[in-house]
Amino acid sequence: MPHSLGLDAVARQNIGLLTTQARSIIAASLPQFGHSRVEFLDEGYDFWVFEVDGVWVFRFPKRERSVSKLRRESDLLAELTDWVTLPIPRYEFFGGKARGRRRFVGYRKLPGRPAHRTESVDRRSVARQLGIFLGELHAYPIERARESGLTPIDDCIAVRRERALSELDGITVDLGIDLAEVGRYLETDAPRSYQGRPTLVHNDLWAEHVLLDSRSGRVCGVIDWGDAVLGDPALDFSFLYAWYGERWLSAILECYPLSADPGLVLRSKYLAACSAIHAAALCREQRRIVWIEAARRALQWVMRS
């Protein structure tokens, strides 16, 4: 891994070394954190995440293309924070710049726990909150999103279908479902592509990226915006379909203030299956149990309906 990304490949093999390097890089770029407590928090496909002093979250890109995601994400969230009513990260620290490119960013940690780790979920309240939130997000001006560097995904049904079918044979984890049946569904049941105007979509609304209050079970934050794009609003609803299925999606849509096109539910269901296959395929590189469990749950919801 190029040193310019900040954290090297050797450290990746050891969380302790990784954390030590992150502490050193943060302190060198931001001297006020020279004596701070830095702890490894999480790892996704594109980023390593560290908690600093229990108050701040710092995100480091893992590869060169992730640097571009980081720039788009930080530019978008700077504009989006005052547009949506649910809390989202507000980046306050930018470090390790090289040729004007941000190498890591930091924001004040949002309260709550990822939804997949929260025992108490107030589904009715969460459905209402997410319905309103997605209405706000999908109404965000496209021109402003483009200024943040976001680009459109054309015909996401065809793109995700092709990717899922190519990944299907390589899945080695047990998803508790007949993958041949999933393959037939992907081959024969693809819905008509979205014909409407593209909207800003989060594009990664798995339960791990929605924070809930552990007492009330209500949403208190939405994180990880690196995959945000312009495209079919069903991209966002598909991840919510993957949580609790079609009935819960219907409850969300009842609170969605925009007009949902007639094919939205079918596209959401189909895209949920495609995303589940992709999540399972990524586990060949990173064996994250949360991705396997999310993929298994999504496919069970899709194939039982």
Side-chain angles (χ1 to χ4, degrees):
M1 179 177 297
H3 180 68
S4 62
L5 291 188
L7 303 176
D8 64 32
V10 175
R12 181 180 181 182
Q13 306 303 317
N14 184 298
I15 295 300
L17 287 176
L18 194 69
T19 304
T20 298
Q21 283 201 354
R23 183 183 298 112
S24 175
I25 294 168
I26 292 171
S29 184
L30 303 168
Q32 63 268 47
F33 292 106
H35 300 287
S36 292
R37 184 181 75 257
V38 178
E39 299 178 2
F40 179 82
L41 186 61
D42 203 357
E43 174 185 7
Y45 183 75
D46 285 299
F47 298 97
W48 285 297
V49 187
F50 301 87
E51 182 177 292
V52 178
D53 292 333
V55 175
W56 304 97
V57 171
F58 281 83
R59 285 158 61 80
F60 283 79
K62 296 172 68 173
R63 50 185 63 84
E64 194 65 36
R65 69 175 185 175
S66 303
V67 176
S68 298
K69 281 190 173 187
L70 192 64
R71 178 189 58 78
R72 291 194 300 270
E73 178 182 9
S74 56
D75 288 350
L76 173 66
L77 295 183
E79 298 293 328
L80 193 59
T81 300
D82 296 326
W83 183 271
V84 295
T85 51
L86 286 179
I88 60 176
R90 183 191 291 269
Y91 289 121
E92 299 183 40
F93 297 104
F94 305 90
K97 290 187 179 182
R99 296 187 299 277
R101 305 176 71 187
R102 295 163 187 169
R103 296 300 180 177
F104 68 87
V105 296
Y107 65 90
R108 186 174 294 276
K109 184 179 180 181
L110 298 179
R113 291 169 55 84
H116 71 287
R117 296 179 184 168
T118 306
E119 294 182 2
S120 174
V121 178
D122 184 343
R123 293 194 190 183
R124 177 177 294 182
S125 294
V126 171
R128 180 178 182 277
Q129 287 180 283
L130 291 178
I132 294 172
F133 169 76
L134 288 181
E136 296 167 343
L137 184 65
H138 296 165
Y140 187 76
I142 296 298
E143 295 73 19
R144 289 175 61 179
R146 288 183 183 274
E147 291 173 359
S148 298
L150 270 67
T151 55
I153 291 183
D154 295 324
D155 199 354
C156 66
I157 293 292
V159 171
R160 299 294 169 92
R161 175 181 183 272
E162 181 177 351
R163 184 183 69 181
L165 287 171
S166 68
E167 292 172 332
L168 197 58
D169 290 339
I171 293 177
T172 57
V173 295
D174 179 14
L175 296 178
I177 201 161
D178 184 352
L179 292 182
E181 183 181 355
V182 175
R184 288 190 291 272
Y185 169 71
L186 294 175
E187 286 275 13
T188 62
D189 286 14
R192 183 183 179 189
S193 297
Y194 179 57
Q195 303 297 312
R197 183 172 181 268
T199 64
L200 171 61
V201 291
H202 180 285
N203 194 33
D204 200 14
L205 277 178
W206 290 110
E208 63 179 313
H209 297 153
V210 178
L211 304 178
L212 303 184
D213 180 88
S214 57
R215 293 186 177 181
S216 69
R218 291 171 54 84
V219 181
C220 54
V222 179
I223 59 173
D224 283 27
W225 290 78
D227 290 313
V229 294
L230 305 177
D232 184 351
L235 285 165
D236 281 341
F237 290 111
S238 68
F239 293 102
L240 303 182
Y241 188 108
W243 286 31
Y244 298 124
E246 189 167 326
R247 179 177 295 182
W248 194 60
L249 177 61
S250 295
I252 294 170
L253 287 172
E254 288 178 2
C255 304
Y256 183 63
L258 306 180
S259 297
D261 66 276
L264 179 66
V265 173
L266 284 179
R267 295 197 312 279
S268 299
K269 175 183 176 180
Y270 189 85
L271 290 168
C274 294
S275 294
I277 294 300
H278 185 55
L282 289 179
C283 291
R284 287 176 295 183
E285 300 176 38
Q286 293 178 257
R287 290 197 61 83
R288 284 176 57 86
I289 298 300
V290 61
W291 292 354
I292 298 172
E293 292 177 346
R296 181 182 296 120
R297 185 180 305 112
L299 289 175
Q300 288 174 348
W301 282 119
V302 169
M303 302 310 294
R304 75 171 53 168
S305 61

